[in-house]
């Protein structure tokens, strides 16, 4: 719980990259922790959209692929991934 609070503090400070990295480390250490996986999945989706909008299509694809590792049935993410891969 304290680690998640620290991540939220990073986010409030505008440190998206650091927050995602922290959550990825937490997810690796605690693979069964649903709260970590859900928060990481949402942040990766946000970052993918930001990256895609900035023209970093390859990086967005990587983020969307990671989201699908957590949520394999997420059709919205799958559609965005497929569209980006066609580019």
């Amino acid at each position: 719980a304290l680690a998640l609070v620290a991540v939220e503090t990073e986010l409030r400070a505008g440190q998206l990259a650091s927050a995602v990295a922290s959550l990825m480390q937490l997810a690796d250490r605690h693979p069964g922790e649903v709260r970590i996986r859900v928060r990481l999945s949402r942040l990766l989706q946000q970052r993918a959209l930001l990256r895609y909008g900035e023209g970093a299509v390859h990086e967005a694809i990587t983020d969307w692929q990671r989201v699908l590792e957590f949520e394999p049935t997420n059709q919205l993410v799958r559609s965005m991934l497929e569209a980006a891969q066609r580019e």
Side-chain angles (χ1 to χ4, degrees), residues 56-76:
V57 177
H58 180 71
E59 291 81 0
I61 287 171
T62 300
D63 284 345
W64 281 319
Q65 288 171 331
R66 184 74 191 254
V67 170
L68 289 176
E69 290 174 16
F70 297 125
E71 300 178 43
T73 61
N74 189 323
Q75 291 304 315
L76 178 60

Side-chain angles (χ1 to χ4, degrees), residues 52 57 60-61 64-65 68 72 74-87:
Y52 186 79
V57 177
I61 287 171
W64 281 319
Q65 288 171 331
L68 289 176
N74 189 323
Q75 291 304 315
L76 178 60
V77 169
R78 188 169 304 284
S79 295
M80 290 186 288
L81 172 62
E82 290 170 358
Q85 288 173 325
R86 284 192 296 269
E87 282 192 27

Side-chain angles (χ1 to χ4, degrees), residues 4 7-8 10-11 16-31 33-48 62-71 74 77:
L4 287 175
V7 167
E8 294 304 323
E10 289 175 327
L11 288 171
L16 177 61
S18 177
V20 169
S22 295
L23 278 172
M24 287 179 145
Q25 289 175 352
L26 284 171
D28 288 342
R29 287 196 319 249
H30 307 283
E33 179 58 51
V34 174
R35 292 179 302 170
I36 294 169
R37 294 171 63 88
V38 167
R39 189 65 177 125
L40 178 55
S41 179
R42 297 298 173 255
L43 283 180
L44 287 171
Q45 288 180 54
Q46 288 176 326
R47 188 171 77 172
T62 300
D63 284 345
W64 281 319
Q65 288 171 331
R66 184 74 191 254
V67 170
L68 289 176
E69 290 174 16
F70 297 125
E71 300 178 43
N74 189 323
V77 169

